[in-house]
Amino acid sequence: MPPDGGTVRELIQAALRDTDPDGALRWHVISLLRERGDLESFIEARRLCAADTVAERLLGVDIMGQLHPFVDRTLPVLRYLAASEDDAMVLYSVLIAFGHLADPRSLPSVIELASHDDPRVRYGAAYALQHVLGEPPDRAGLEALQALADDEDADVAGWAALGVALRAGA
């Protein structure tokens, strides 16, 4: 584990050494950066989102999804990645970040990715949709969520069906 008081760059370097996207060290660092919630953490996450490697972009997206104080600056970066990224895992992480930030302004990007070829991306969309539908829930977003509940991938369909049920009970 990196020292909890390390610089943002030191923390990021430590997280990048953990090659497992669900790794304990990686998520410990993301948690520390979320707690810091400072501009330096946002700037470094934004820099990572523009990096050449998938590992760096994934880390940048995962950090951004935790930086709620910077949602107005984060959404344009994530929406850009949603429209331009080719890697399915980065797109999945973008969608999870949209869900964590729970901002309806991300809804058009989520709807667009809900019909992606890769089931991991559709799973991310099923997760994000229930969080970004807004109040009252956006009709097109609800239709996308209902369509995902009929997805050929059982995990996608199950998560979307849960989202439909939760939204119906709200």
Side-chain angles (χ1 to χ4, degrees), residues 3 20 108 125:
D20 178 0

Side-chain angles (χ1 to χ4, degrees), residues 39-166:
L39 183 59
E40 183 182 2
S41 298
F42 167 77
I43 289 169
E44 287 299 314
R46 183 180 62 195
R47 180 186 62 79
L48 288 168
C49 287
D52 290 334
T53 70
V54 168
E56 289 174 298
R57 291 194 309 276
L58 273 173
L59 181 59
V61 167
D62 288 343
I63 294 168
M64 284 194 146
Q66 300 297 316
L67 295 177
H68 294 267
F70 296 95
V71 69
D72 289 339
R73 295 179 180 188
T74 297
L75 286 178
V77 175
L78 294 177
R79 291 193 71 195
Y80 174 80
L81 285 171
S84 64
E85 179 63 50
D86 292 326
D87 186 85
M89 284 307 297
V90 174
L91 289 173
Y92 165 81
S93 286
V94 165
L95 289 159
I96 298 303
F98 282 148
H100 288 166
L101 295 170
D103 191 304
R105 294 176 290 179
S106 63
L107 183 61
S109 298
V110 178
I111 290 172
E112 180 70 26
L113 290 172
S115 60
H116 196 276
D117 290 340
D118 194 299
R120 294 171 294 181
V121 176
R122 295 193 310 274
Y123 184 89
Y127 169 79
L129 275 167
Q130 63 186 298
H131 299 287
V132 301
L133 288 173
E135 290 300 331
D138 180 86
R139 184 180 211 46
L142 281 174
E143 289 172 2
L145 188 58
Q146 289 166 339
L148 287 171
D150 293 328
D151 197 90
E152 64 190 38
D153 184 276
D155 292 332
V156 173
W159 195 254
L162 175 63
V164 169
L166 289 172

